[in-house]
Amino acid sequence: MTRQPTEMIREEGRRWALRAADPDFSDWDALTDWLEADPAHLDAYDAALDDDDWARRLFLEEGPEVAPVVAANDMGAEAPVVGLGGRHYPWMGALAASLLLAAGLGGYFALRPEPMTEFATAPGQRHEITLADGSQILLNGGTRIRFSPSRPREIEMKGGEILFRVHHDADHPFVVTSGNTRLVDVGTVFDVQQQAGVLDVAVAEGAVLYNARGGEIRLGAGDRLTRAGDEAVPVLAKADPAAVGGWQANVLTYDDAPLSQVVADLSRDLGVVIVVDPQVGARHFSGTLSIKGTPDAVLSRLQAIVGLTIVRNGSVWRVQPARGSSS
Amino acid sequence: MTGRDLRSGRGLARRRRDAFLPSMDQVENTSGLQRVLLDQRVRLLRFLRARGAGEDAEDMLHDLWQRVASMPRSPVADPLAYLFRTAENLMRDRRRSDVSRERRQFDWHDTSVSEHEPPVAERALIARQRLDEATRTLAGLGERVEQVFRRCRLEGVGQVAIARELGVSLSSVEKDLQKASRALAQLRARFDAE
């Protein structure tokens, strides 16, 4: 509920917002005191931050002066979308800008003090990001992404797994980059797994253009592309569209996948360390695995399905040949 | 780990209601920043509450812990200020996602909204005009005010550095900044009313 602060409080809010935006600000306790003194103070403070964002965006993004710079540091897309509602982090921007200045790249508009927004999940942790246009980015465990707040439809992925539900906009394609690879959506629900150069893209709806090293491959619903490394040749296969991104519903579906992959997925999903005995790592698994419940519960179900023994030793689970088996 | 409902989509960001209690395992692997976080927990919580986290302050502190845990370990000059700053950014992130959620719900209920939005070319023109007007507003406040605003808010230079650069006191830099931000806020209110 937004109250209407008096002009005096509004003015104080501006003062605090400006002070707190300074990279050297350290008077957080005093800010806390002020915020606690009157509930209207928080509203005034938030309003001042909004105003500040608005002004910075107006000057930095939408003016013709910035255009060349936008083009220089971007990945080839058009000018920022008007009103896409990205917010800045004035402080981080300040740091970035000071660094640039220090590097002698000064000049009013030669700078785009817009820091990248970063999200990272620990193994076992998940996070959902919804963009202003309704696109959803669901981060599975052990995943790191970053994007520029004014261009949230250009995601840089660094490891992990993400399920994208993208609101399609032909003028502003949704782009996922990972190293030298670009994935461009064509109206889409798709899942990306990436670790170093290893890539796995599965499309549930719409289509995705895979773009790497000058080549382009179009992936439609039910297509899967896997690549064993940066330099490796991508391999196309089929995916069950209904099972793409199943981790999000706590269900993992495999079709003849090596056990080592299953275990890597589980480690990420459950946030536990699982090692596979080399004797069984090359075994293949087909089927559906529910990952609901505690790691113990999930792994004991897996144990029953694959006919192997999974033993826990402290914080490490080990998958090994079934007890009493001669293999 | 308590029961997380991972299916509830939107609830993901708010899933935790359990108190902030890192396990022994986590405590052993803490970085210096995390230790400061534990030491200054009460102070940070108080800030988060005052900053609008309310009952979710514990959750936000947990998010802060996670964020700190995922950071590359490089030395930080003033760990406490750094934690407060990160907490402030978390609150801004949170507010931003709340705002976009509201907007989405609004769009959901009134799908005709997009039809009433001016086309891209027209919006670009409006943005251009607004920028011109804001530039004039800023220029109208005098050269120093404009310079202080641009250096501070657009280029991200620290206020102390600017005071030194211009040979004025820190408090006059603060006043200049406030003057510029007040004028621009008034301009924004006028645009919104148009």
Side-chain angles (χ1 to χ4, degrees):
Chain A
M1 188 57 63
T2 305
R3 292 155 285 261
Q4 204 50 254
T6 64
E7 188 48 42
M8 197 186 82
I9 291 178
R10 259 198 287 251
E11 198 63 28
E12 281 178 31
R14 271 196 280 275
R15 193 169 67 85
W16 277 110
L18 288 165
R19 286 190 63 199
D22 190 60
D24 300 321
F25 179 73
S26 60
D27 217 354
W28 297 97
D29 287 332
L31 174 58
T32 308
D33 289 340
W34 178 75
L35 287 170
E36 279 177 349
D38 182 338
H41 289 178
L42 177 61
D43 292 330
Y45 182 77
D46 275 335
L49 291 179
D50 280 348
D51 284 340
D52 188 57
D53 275 351
W54 174 84
R56 285 161 48 81
R57 212 158 45 218
L58 184 65
F59 282 105
L60 291 172
E61 277 174 22
E62 287 159 17
E65 293 93 327
V66 247
V69 181
V70 172
N73 78 358
D74 100 29
M75 300 185 254
E78 281 84 333
V81 186
V82 176
L84 197 57
R87 273 187 64 151
H88 298 269
Y89 301 83
W91 159 74
M92 304 264 303
L95 278 186
S98 336
L99 290 174
L100 281 175
L101 273 181
L105 298 170
Y108 276 155
F109 289 103
L111 294 169
R112 203 152 181 284
E114 185 182 77
M116 302 291 268
T117 299
E118 264 196 64
F119 288 93
T121 50
Q125 197 195 10
R126 294 177 186 181
H127 187 66
E128 182 200 47
I129 302 163
T130 305
L131 303 180
D133 65 3
S135 295
Q136 285 180 310
I137 303 170
L138 302 153
L139 273 60
N140 201 351
T143 305
R144 181 181 286 270
I145 62 161
R146 60 178 200 172
F147 56 86
S148 144
S150 67
R151 292 198 299 277
R153 288 173 66 88
E154 293 175 15
I155 307 284
E156 199 183 327
M157 177 173 182
K158 287 187 172 172
E161 178 167 24
I162 307 177
L163 178 65
F164 293 94
R165 291 204 184 99
V166 173
H167 172 83
H168 185 58
D169 177 349
D171 293 333
H172 304 282
F174 194 97
V175 180
V176 181
T177 58
S178 162
N180 60 1
T181 307
R182 279 164 69 90
L183 300 166
V184 182
D185 96 282
V186 191
T188 312
V189 178
F190 63 109
D191 189 86
V192 182
Q193 289 186 56
Q194 179 255 324
Q195 211 58 252
V198 182
L199 189 72
D200 182 334
V201 185
V203 181
E205 275 175 48
V208 171
L209 298 176
Y210 164 90
N211 199 313
R213 299 155 63 80
E216 189 171 274
I217 300 171
R218 187 187 167 95
L219 306 172
D223 285 340
R224 153 169 266 137
L225 177 147
T226 50
R227 195 186 65 190
D230 267 329
E231 308 292 314
V233 177
V235 178
L236 291 180
K238 286 290 157 199
D240 172 7
V244 170
W247 58 268
Q248 201 249 330
N250 290 321
V251 176
L252 300 179
T253 304
Y254 295 96
D255 183 18
D256 204 29
L259 194 59
S260 53
Q261 188 202 327
V262 177
V263 163
D265 290 348
L266 286 173
S267 297
R268 187 173 50 220
D269 289 324
L270 302 172
V272 297
V273 181
I274 311 170
V275 290
V276 188
D277 192 298
Q279 272 187 64
V280 297
R283 286 208 194 176
H284 282 237
F285 173 68
S286 296
T288 298
L289 200 58
S290 162
I291 49 169
K292 228 174 151 64
T294 63
D296 281 303
V298 173
L299 292 170
S300 75
R301 278 199 298 271
L302 177 68
Q303 173 172 284
I305 297 172
V306 297
L308 296 167
T309 302
I310 303 179
V311 290
R312 178 178 182 175
N313 186 356
S315 57
V316 177
W317 274 262
R318 183 175 292 277
V319 184
Q320 52 197 42
R323 287 196 185 106
S325 120
S326 54
S327 62
Chain B
M1 231 184 301
T2 58
R4 300 174 298 174
D5 184 7
L6 295 163
R7 258 177 239 264
S8 64
R10 183 166 299 159
L12 277 175
R14 299 281 158 71
R15 64 197 172 259
R16 286 176 244 94
R17 289 264 23 127
D18 46 336
F20 171 73
L21 282 175
S23 67
M24 280 317 292
D25 205 31
Q26 281 172 302
V27 173
E28 275 169 29
N29 293 318
T30 47
S31 65
L33 268 178
Q34 287 171 307
R35 236 166 268 138
V36 176
L37 188 152
L38 288 177
D39 286 348
Q40 301 294 332
R41 186 171 168 269
V42 174
R43 236 163 125 190
L44 289 162
L45 268 177
R46 200 186 132 218
F47 170 72
L48 286 166
R49 265 187 215 108
R51 190 60 188 78
E55 288 181 355
D56 293 339
E58 288 274 359
D59 285 357
M60 297 305 291
L61 194 70
H62 191 269
D63 286 350
L64 181 61
W65 172 273
Q66 297 278 10
R67 194 173 280 205
V68 169
S70 68
M71 278 172 185
R73 295 191 180 185
S74 49
V76 171
D78 182 348
L80 185 62
Y82 188 84
L83 288 170
F84 270 113
R85 176 66 70 189
T86 311
E88 166 77 17
N89 288 343
L90 277 174
M91 291 310 298
R92 292 185 188 195
D93 281 359
R94 181 172 123 128
R95 181 149 183 277
R96 175 182 51 182
S97 65
D98 285 349
V99 167
S100 64
R101 183 173 308 142
E102 273 165 29
R103 190 180 306 150
R104 223 170 43 242
Q105 278 162 356
F106 174 73
D107 287 350
W108 179 258
H109 290 305
D110 183 5
T111 44
S112 61
V113 162
S114 57
E115 289 164 27
H116 296 307
E117 260 183 25
V120 174
E122 198 180 320
R123 274 187 288 164
L125 185 68
I126 293 171
R128 182 67 239 239
Q129 287 168 347
R130 288 182 169 187
L131 175 67
D132 287 347
E133 197 147 345
T135 307
R136 278 197 298 276
T137 300
L138 212 46
L141 298 172
E143 202 180 323
R144 198 184 73 193
V145 174
E146 179 178 4
Q147 200 179 355
V148 166
F149 176 81
R150 286 190 184 273
R151 296 284 284 147
C152 268
R153 301 309 303 130
L154 304 185
E155 295 174 17
V157 180
Q159 293 169 19
V160 172
I162 288 162
R164 212 179 298 131
E165 194 178 289
L166 299 176
V168 297
S169 69
L170 181 60
S171 83
S172 83
V173 165
E174 285 179 345
K175 281 188 191 119
D176 286 350
L177 267 180
Q178 206 162 349
K179 204 188 263 184
S181 100
R182 186 190 311 127
L184 291 170
Q186 283 162 356
L187 185 67
R188 183 186 182 201
R190 215 192 75 206
F191 286 153
D192 285 350
E194 272 169 7

